[in-house]
């Protein structure tokens, strides 16, 4: 993700566009991840995918896709944009104006992690409303009919949440979502930059699509594992029908631990990995290619 200081500045929205393009490709797996995280039981991902295709048709695998795109155009635009601004500002503050002369654009791994973490925290706040609607739209089909939300699209979902439950509900689960976003950004964006820089510096890799693919797989695996507990908590809080003591982090942790054991924090890891790793690869490949087209 690093270019020389003389390179044209890419538009801040390219990261969001790249993430939205990737999410359209991987949405069916993302949908099953949310369903496995929210619904208690031992349904496997393939069984869940097959059931959805049988009952709702192939098009049913893309239910909630509008909310996924909205999420990327809020959350990912913010995290990519703020991350790049912070990296540039950090280098200027150190007087390092020479561009990527050192590892990862002249920034140490901890500096990349700090930039990514701060950008991720802000992005988690910005993207929370879309996340609420995304989780509900993706899990509607596995709810009892009386508990379904029935949103027509992401904008209908936002409107009805505010109308029926209040504006504050759009920020339900903000704590776990922000923590997940911080961990995701550090283990995805910062890890991608650091891993790619090390691979290129080794002399065995060039800055090509094959290197982007390799780096994306490694960063995607790391991000899936680090973010999994926060992702499960976030999904269960945001899918809850009502606010209250039973919908808090503590209550969900106690109930999950008691009924499902410690492994509940990693429920949906396989679909999350199958979604996030290809998503990470596609997102960065799209991002790198869009940057080249722009420049």
């Amino acid at each position: 993700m690093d270019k020389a200081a003389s390179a044209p500045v890419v538009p801040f929205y390219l990261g969001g566009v790249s993430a939205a393009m990737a999410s359209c490709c991987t949405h069916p797996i993302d949908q099953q991840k949310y369903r496995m995280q929210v619904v208690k039981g031992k349904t496997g991902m393939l069984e869940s995918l097959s059931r959805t295709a049988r009952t709702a048709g192939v098009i049913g695998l893309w239910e909630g896709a509008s909310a996924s795109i909205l999420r990327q155009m809020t959350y990912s635009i913010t995290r990519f944009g703020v991350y790049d601004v912070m990296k540039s500002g950090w280098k200027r503050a150190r007087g390092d104006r020479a561009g990527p002369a050192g590892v990862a654009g002249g920034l140490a791994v901890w500096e990349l992690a700090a930039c990514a973490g701060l950008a991720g925290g802000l992005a988690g706040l910005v993207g929370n409303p879309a996340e609420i609607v995304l989780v509900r739209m993706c899990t509607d089909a596995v709810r009892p009919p009386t508990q379904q939300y029935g949103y027509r699209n992401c904008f209908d979902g936002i409107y009805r949440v505010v109308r029926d439950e209040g504006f504050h509900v759009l920020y339900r689960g903000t704590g776990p979502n922000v923590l997940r976003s911080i961990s995701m950004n550090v283990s995805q964006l910062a890890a991608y930059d650091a891993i790619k820089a090390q691979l290129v510096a080794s002399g065995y890799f060039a800055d090509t699509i094959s290197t982007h693919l390799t780096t994306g797989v490694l960063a995607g695996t790391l991000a899936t594992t680090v973010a999994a507990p926060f992702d499960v908590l976030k999904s269960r809080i945001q899918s809850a029908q009502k606010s209250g003591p039973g919908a808090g982090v503590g209550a969900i942790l106690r109930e999950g631990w008691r009924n499902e054991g410690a492994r509940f924090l990693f429920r949906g890891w396989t679909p999350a990995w199958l979604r996030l790793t290809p998503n990470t690869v596609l997102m960065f490949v799209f991002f790198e290619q869009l940057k080249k087209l722009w420049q």
Side-chain angles (χ1 to χ4, degrees):
M1 293 175 60
D2 296 294
K3 293 288 182 184
S6 59
V9 176
V10 298
F12 73 93
Y13 55 80
L14 280 192
V17 172
S18 304
M21 291 168 64
S23 71
C24 288
C25 299
T26 59
H27 182 76
I29 299 174
D30 204 24
Q31 180 193 82
Q32 305 312 312
K33 178 202 73 171
Y34 284 121
R35 292 179 180 182
M36 291 178 69
Q37 288 176 338
V38 169
V39 177
K40 300 176 178 63
K42 296 184 177 180
T43 302
M45 185 196 66
L46 292 179
E47 181 183 350
S48 183
L49 278 167
S50 175
R51 181 186 300 140
T52 299
R54 283 198 314 271
T55 57
V58 174
I59 194 68
L61 295 171
W62 273 268
E63 288 177 359
S66 67
S68 182
I69 293 171
L70 177 63
R71 177 177 178 270
Q72 299 304 336
M73 295 305 290
T74 52
Y75 165 73
S76 285
I77 277 183
T78 302
R79 69 188 183 119
F80 269 91
V82 173
Y83 178 56
D84 283 340
V85 168
M86 290 193 66
K87 285 195 300 180
S88 298
W90 200 304
K91 285 189 285 188
R92 285 197 301 271
R94 291 193 333 177
D96 182 2
R97 303 174 186 272
V103 173
L107 294 180
V109 173
W110 73 268
E111 292 171 320
L112 291 173
C115 293
L118 290 170
L122 179 59
L125 289 172
V126 172
N128 206 79
E131 187 87 33
I132 290 279
V133 176
L134 173 62
V135 171
R136 291 181 174 188
M137 290 183 73
C138 285
T139 59
D140 231 16
V142 294
R143 294 176 176 277
T146 56
Q147 296 180 15
Q148 292 178 358
Y149 294 99
Y151 301 148
R152 293 191 300 274
N153 53 58
C154 59
F155 300 110
D156 179 55
I158 295 287
Y159 169 73
R160 287 172 56 186
V161 168
V162 174
R163 183 194 67 186
D164 300 338
E165 303 172 67
F167 180 82
H168 69 281
V169 174
L170 291 175
Y171 286 90
R172 177 185 292 171
T174 298
N177 193 31
V178 168
L179 290 174
R180 174 195 176 275
S181 184
I182 291 171
S183 64
M184 177 68 71
N185 246 34
V186 171
S187 57
Q188 190 184 56
L189 296 191
Y192 179 88
D193 269 348
I195 293 170
K196 190 182 86 168
Q198 294 294 332
L199 290 178
V200 172
S202 72
Y204 295 103
F205 295 83
D207 192 359
T208 61
I209 287 182
S210 62
T211 301
H212 304 158
L213 290 171
T214 302
T215 308
V217 170
L218 295 173
T221 301
L222 177 63
T224 302
T225 305
V226 172
F230 304 112
D231 207 17
V232 170
L233 292 173
K234 170 192 68 67
S235 295
R236 294 197 177 189
I237 292 171
Q238 292 179 335
S239 67
Q241 287 281 327
K242 297 179 180 179
S243 302
V249 174
I252 288 175
L253 276 170
R254 288 192 297 273
E255 180 185 359
W257 197 284
R258 181 174 62 250
N259 297 333
E260 303 169 70
R263 289 188 301 174
F264 95 94
L265 289 171
F266 290 89
R267 279 189 63 83
W269 187 93
T270 299
W273 183 87
L274 289 173
R275 175 260 174 187
L276 186 59
T277 300
N279 180 270
T280 300
V281 170
L282 290 171
M283 179 178 67
F284 283 118
V285 167
F286 289 149
F287 185 59
E288 301 276 10
Q289 297 310 305
L290 287 173
K291 284 199 303 181
K292 288 180 180 179
L293 288 174
W294 179 265
Q295 295 169 348

